[in-house]
Amino acid sequence: MAQFKVNGEGKTVDGPDDMPLLWALRDNLGLTGTKYGCGTGLCGACTVNMDGAATKSCQVKLKDCGGASVQTIEGLGTENSMHVVQKAWLEENVSQCGYCQPGQIMAAAVLLAGNKNPSDKDIDEAMSSNLCRCGTYPRIRKAVKRAAELMSAGG
């Protein structure tokens, strides 16, 4: 069992200590925006913001979540009040199949929270552990830069 915040709300998840956070989010809390990709932390589809860091939720055990603050794609923004990264993703038409996009968006949001004007190298490094089978990397980089512009313009 673990008590932690998810998208700003206190949650208690009853499960085995070795349950991955990914399954706690999806199965116990019904937050299915965080995707299962590889289960080994290599693809990034399950990326969430955990205590300010882009984190592969398939690699975090429930026992290690006590007191943590977790933000999922559901907590980033809504259709009526999108986060700047979500706005930029739509403006730049990033998604192709879309499966990896929640993890991509969460990684980009974490990057921009700490670096308001990332270089191409900064973006490539921050996004390198999030894979896209469709190869939308140039659009992802363009969207991250667009989100930075939107942030500097107030939103």
Side-chain angles (χ1 to χ4, degrees):
M1 181 181 331
Q3 294 181 334
F4 53 102
K5 285 189 176 182
V6 178
N7 300 329
E9 296 181 17
K11 300 290 182 182
T12 300
V13 175
D14 189 17
D17 284 347
D18 64 347
M19 173 190 281
L21 173 60
L22 172 63
W23 298 126
L25 294 171
R26 290 181 60 81
D27 296 345
N28 293 63
L29 300 176
L31 298 170
T32 58
T34 305
K35 302 301 183 198
Y36 172 78
C38 66
T40 60
L42 299 175
C43 75
C46 68
T47 302
V48 297
N49 179 340
M50 185 168 179
D51 294 329
T55 303
K56 309 301 185 283
S57 63
C58 72
Q59 296 300 292
V60 177
K61 303 296 181 204
L62 189 59
K63 68 179 179 177
D64 298 323
C65 294
S69 179
V70 175
Q71 183 183 45
T72 69
I73 191 75
E74 291 92 345
L76 193 61
T78 66
E79 187 174 342
N80 296 323
S81 180
M82 284 190 233
H83 187 276
V84 293
V85 174
Q86 293 168 314
K87 288 179 189 177
W89 241 247
L90 290 173
E91 287 180 16
E92 299 301 333
N93 198 28
V94 172
S95 296
Q96 191 162 321
C97 84
Y99 194 82
C100 70
Q101 297 309 301
Q104 298 277 1
I105 289 169
M106 293 307 297
V110 170
L111 165 64
L112 291 171
N115 183 346
K116 305 292 186 213
N117 189 24
S119 66
D120 286 350
K121 182 180 177 192
D122 296 332
I123 295 167
D124 292 347
E125 286 177 6
M127 304 300 291
S128 67
S129 66
N130 288 74
L131 304 180
C132 174
R133 289 185 62 169
C134 302
T136 64
Y137 301 112
R139 291 186 298 210
I140 290 169
R141 184 188 300 147
K142 192 173 178 184
V144 172
K145 287 183 171 283
R146 178 67 181 136
E149 291 171 6
L150 289 170
M151 288 174 75
S152 69

